[in-house]
Amino acid sequence: QLQASGGGLVQAGGSLRLSCVASGRTFSSYVMGWFRQAPGKEREFVAAIIWSGASTYYADSVKGRFTASRDNAKNTVYLQMNSLKPEDTAVYYCAADRRIVVTASDYDYWGQGTLVTVSS
């Protein structure tokens, strides 16, 4: 029901925009979250955006570099990633929940991941 895309290989300092398209149900009233998981590490919170897009939340590690946005008419959320660093390398996932939560286990719906690789 959630399909993430847009990952790829980019050099440090570069940019990528991830997209997450929802299908099968409308997620316009849901909080949409972005998480990432690097090899050998736990899945960690990256960003979240409330249903209206009026409020966003970011992990300290990405604040000022990443921007979450959404287009409810297209049932799509985005994660614009700028000034990428090698430590941003991970599989990125989108998720949906009705609450403003930052813990992966609290999210009800998940998409498959998209791999982001940042070379130094």
Side-chain angles (χ1 to χ4, degrees):
Q1 290 181 317
L2 297 174
Q3 178 90 19
S5 63
L9 174 63
V10 63
Q11 288 188 333
S15 299
L16 281 175
R17 188 176 81 156
L18 305 184
S19 299
C20 175
V21 180
S23 61
R25 69 166 54 225
T26 299
F27 285 93
S28 57
S29 62
Y30 282 69
V31 173
M32 301 300 294
W34 287 97
F35 288 78
R36 67 186 181 186
Q37 188 165 19
K41 294 188 177 181
E42 293 187 353
R43 193 168 297 189
E44 66 173 358
F45 170 77
V46 174
I49 182 168
I50 68 170
W51 68 273
S52 67
S55 294
T56 51
Y57 306 86
Y58 299 97
D60 288 342
S61 59
V62 307
K63 203 170 292 183
R65 299 187 298 122
F66 290 11
T67 302
S69 61
R70 66 191 297 165
D71 184 339
N72 287 333
K74 296 181 178 179
N75 234 10
T76 302
V77 293
Y78 305 97
L79 184 67
Q80 178 67 43
M81 305 186 296
N82 299 329
S83 302
L84 282 162
K85 305 175 181 179
E87 51 264 44
D88 294 319
T89 295
V91 177
Y92 283 71
Y93 300 87
C94 58
D97 196 82
R98 291 191 178 275
R99 303 160 294 172
I100 301 174
V101 290
V102 299
T103 302
S105 59
D106 287 331
Y107 277 78
D108 287 337
Y109 301 96
W110 287 88
Q112 93 298 346
T114 185
L115 177 62
V116 172
T117 304
V118 184
S119 62
S120 57

